[in-house]
Amino acid sequence: MKNILILIMLFGSIETIAQEKVSIIEILANKEEFDHTDVKIKGFFDNTEKEGRAIYLSKEDCINKIWKNAIFIYASKATLEKLGINQDWISGYVEITGYFVLDKKGSYDNFSGGLMATKKITIIEPIKRNVLKY
């Protein structure tokens, strides 16, 4: 039993160690370095686009559709709901944890990579539906 507990603690620590907290700017500047890596990033999450969700460098980049300053989020509505993001929640600044893949660039290859296997989303600053104007 003691050995099982030690293994559980060890593997729980490995996930935390393997996850790297980086800025979107770091990923955009060094995409190959972060390819196939677990990352934790902060940015402006857009939950409004029909073509898919993304995390942008800033709210302004989202409003101006500067897709190269964004990472596509590969997560179903069901996955997002499990992580606390429902259809009524529109956008805002978040911290998101997932697996970055350079070759997954979202709809029409517009984005600078994709975030797969989203594990956690923490809302930092939500934007109400009537506040975000495009």
Side-chain angles (χ1 to χ4, degrees):
M1 183 69 171
K2 184 178 177 183
N3 290 340
I4 293 172
L5 183 59
I6 291 170
L7 286 173
I8 291 171
M9 290 172 49
L10 177 64
F11 286 114
S13 299
I14 288 172
E15 182 178 345
T16 305
I17 293 167
Q19 176 184 58
E20 189 169 348
K21 190 171 184 176
V22 296
S23 71
I24 292 179
I25 292 172
E26 286 178 275
I27 293 175
L28 296 175
N30 306 295
K31 294 177 208 162
E32 292 80 14
E33 180 182 331
F34 293 101
D35 192 20
H36 296 282
T37 308
D38 283 321
V39 295
K40 182 187 288 189
I41 54 177
K42 288 182 182 178
F44 189 82
F45 182 80
D46 180 26
N47 195 29
T48 62
E49 284 298 315
K50 185 177 182 180
E51 296 300 325
R53 295 158 190 89
I55 184 163
Y56 289 81
L57 183 60
S58 68
K59 178 180 170 185
E60 290 73 25
D61 287 343
C62 177
I63 291 169
N64 293 306
K65 305 292 184 221
I66 302 175
W67 295 310
K68 293 300 176 190
N69 285 351
I71 297 170
F72 193 82
I73 306 297
Y74 287 90
S76 67
K77 288 181 184 179
T79 298
L80 290 174
E81 285 180 1
K82 286 180 189 175
L83 297 171
I85 305 292
N86 61 36
Q87 283 184 266
D88 294 333
W89 192 84
I90 189 161
S91 299
Y93 284 95
V94 300
E95 182 173 77
I96 187 167
T97 303
Y99 186 74
F100 179 74
V101 180
L102 177 58
D103 293 337
K104 298 286 188 178
K105 298 183 179 189
S107 300
Y108 308 107
D109 286 339
N110 284 331
F111 298 88
S112 290
L115 204 61
M116 315 285 290
T118 305
K119 296 175 189 150
K120 184 176 180 183
I121 300 175
T122 303
I123 299 170
I124 298 169
E125 181 185 331
I127 304 293
K128 293 188 169 119
R129 186 170 291 278
N130 60 354
V131 173
L132 188 64
K133 301 196 183 204
Y134 292 102

